[in-house]
Amino acid sequence: MTLAEVEATARAAHEGQTDKAGRPYAEHLRAVAEGVRARGGDDDQIAAAWLHDAVEDDARSAHWLEGAALSRRTKDIVRAVTKRAGEAPEAYARRILDTPGALLVKRADLAHNADPARLARLDDEATRTRLTEKYARMRALLGLEGD
């Protein structure tokens, strides 16, 4: 798949979904893909950024991912950044760190998720606090504290 096809697939997979602030979910996907590009990511990483939540959010199945016309590296990165039910944050972070190219995608994802302007759009202070702490913990586990 070309990057344009990956983008179209990701947008279609998340069609109608919104983030916690009610914004179209595709805005998050675009921000993460652009964050990967701005940080020097390659096409495999940019493709994975577009698809980083597709399996986790059940927008696409793991079976779909396996059969998709994507590079093995892109698939490995998507699998690495896909959280698993009941998985400890330490195990999740270890998988990301152990998968070549995945850290950059997760770094861009965390940067957008933890953006103070984005978090400020949330109505609930408790949710803002919980998410801020969650993202800070994951950055620490990944060695991205100063990021």
Side-chain angles (χ1 to χ4, degrees):
M1 297 173 95
T2 66
L3 283 178
E5 291 169 328
V6 170
E7 177 182 347
T9 298
R11 286 179 179 279
H14 291 277
E15 182 68 33
Q17 291 181 347
T18 58
D19 66 12
K20 290 174 181 64
R23 303 292 308 157
Y25 203 78
E27 289 180 8
H28 172 64
L29 303 176
R30 180 186 44 75
V32 175
E34 288 305 315
V36 167
R37 185 185 317 275
R39 289 170 173 85
D42 59 29
D43 285 355
D44 287 341
Q45 291 168 304
I46 295 166
W50 276 109
L51 297 169
H52 78 278
D53 280 335
V55 176
E56 183 176 316
D57 291 349
D58 293 323
R60 290 289 182 258
S61 69
H63 179 73
W64 172 85
L65 180 64
E66 189 56 40
L70 299 163
S71 73
R72 174 60 46 200
R73 184 165 173 255
T74 294
K75 292 176 187 183
D76 288 346
I77 294 169
V78 172
R79 280 192 290 271
V81 300
T82 298
K83 287 182 235 154
R84 300 171 186 166
E87 182 175 38
E90 295 81 5
Y92 177 54
R94 176 56 38 211
R95 187 173 61 252
I96 291 168
L97 291 169
D98 287 346
T99 304
L103 182 59
L104 183 64
V105 174
K106 189 61 184 176
R107 181 180 172 203
D109 181 37
L110 286 168
H112 189 248
N113 282 337
D115 179 351
R118 187 170 187 235
L119 288 170
R121 286 187 256 166
L122 298 174
D123 293 332
D124 180 22
E125 179 64 34
T127 300
R128 276 194 301 273
T129 300
R130 180 183 59 79
L131 291 175
T132 298
E133 291 170 358
K134 173 185 167 183
Y135 301 142
R137 179 166 185 233
M138 184 53 58
R139 280 195 307 272
L141 289 171
L142 295 170
L144 302 172
E145 294 97 330
D147 203 22

